[in-house]
Amino acid sequence: MIKDLCSIVYGILLLYFINFIFYYIIINNNNNNNNYNNNNNNNNNNNNNNNNNNNNNNNNNNNNNNNNNNNNNNNNNNNNNNNNNNNNNNNNNNNNNNNNNNNNNNNNNNNNNNNNNNNNNNNNNNNNNNNNNNNNNNNNNNNNNNNNNNNNNI
């Protein structure tokens, strides 16, 4: 009777021990594995999210850099256009100045020619006057000579 009772108690204890192994070791191990896998999945998801965020940031930075480069290129083009316009304006001003100088030179030459012509005319007039004076003097001399001759003849 006691032997049977011990066997029953031993059987119950054995069942409790098997139950402990099954529930606390096997199931707990499964839970641990599941937690580990879940943690790994979460870490992978976090890494993927971080990578996506990094990629997005890099794309944004690249876009910003491209925009900045485009703005710089536009500014450079505008500056070049302004410089070209300034150069054209300077060239036009220089051409105008050259034309004005040429006109002034032509006017000066014309004035000089006119002055020379006037001087020549004055010289000619003076020569003519001198010739006329000489002629008059000669005539007067001739008249005087004639008068003297006539007086002598009387």
Side-chain angles (χ1 to χ4, degrees):
M1 182 76 172
I2 292 174
K3 186 177 178 183
D4 288 339
L5 188 59
C6 283
S7 292
I8 291 170
V9 170
Y10 177 74
I12 290 172
L13 287 178
L14 185 60
L15 283 180
Y16 271 110
F17 181 70
I18 290 170
N19 186 58
F20 171 79
I21 288 176
F22 182 74
Y23 281 102
Y24 289 95
I25 294 178
I26 294 176
I27 291 179
N28 193 46
N29 189 49
N30 281 346
N31 282 344
N32 281 347
N33 280 348
N34 283 345
N35 283 345
Y36 177 77
N37 286 342
N38 282 345
N39 281 345
N40 274 352
N41 283 345
N42 283 345
N43 281 345
N44 283 344
N45 283 345
N46 282 346
N47 281 346
N48 283 345
N49 284 344
N50 281 346
N51 283 344
N52 283 345
N53 283 345
N54 281 346
N55 282 345
N56 283 346
N57 282 345
N58 282 345
N59 283 345
N60 283 345
N61 282 347
N62 282 345
N63 282 347
N64 283 346
N65 282 346
N66 282 346
N67 283 346
N68 281 347
N69 282 347
N70 282 347
N71 282 346
N72 281 347
N73 282 347
N74 282 347
N75 282 348
N76 282 345
N77 282 347
N78 283 346
N79 282 345
N80 282 346
N81 282 348
N82 282 347
N83 282 346
N84 282 347
N85 283 346
N86 282 346
N87 282 347
N88 282 346
N89 282 346
N90 282 346
N91 282 346
N92 282 345
N93 282 347
N94 281 345
N95 282 345
N96 283 347
N97 282 347
N98 281 345
N99 282 346
N100 282 345
N101 282 345
N102 281 345
N103 282 345
N104 281 346
N105 281 346
N106 282 344
N107 282 345
N108 280 345
N109 281 345
N110 282 343
N111 281 345
N112 280 344
N113 281 345
N114 282 343
N115 280 345
N116 280 343
N117 282 343
N118 282 343
N119 280 344
N120 281 344
N121 281 344
N122 281 343
N123 281 343
N124 281 343
N125 281 343
N126 280 341
N127 281 342
N128 280 342
N129 281 342
N130 280 341
N131 281 341
N132 281 341
N133 280 341
N134 281 342
N135 280 342
N136 281 340
N137 280 342
N138 281 341
N139 281 341
N140 280 341
N141 280 339
N142 280 339
N143 280 340
N144 280 342
N145 281 339
N146 280 339
N147 281 336
N148 282 338
N149 279 341
N150 282 338
N151 281 340
N152 284 335
N153 282 336
I154 291 174

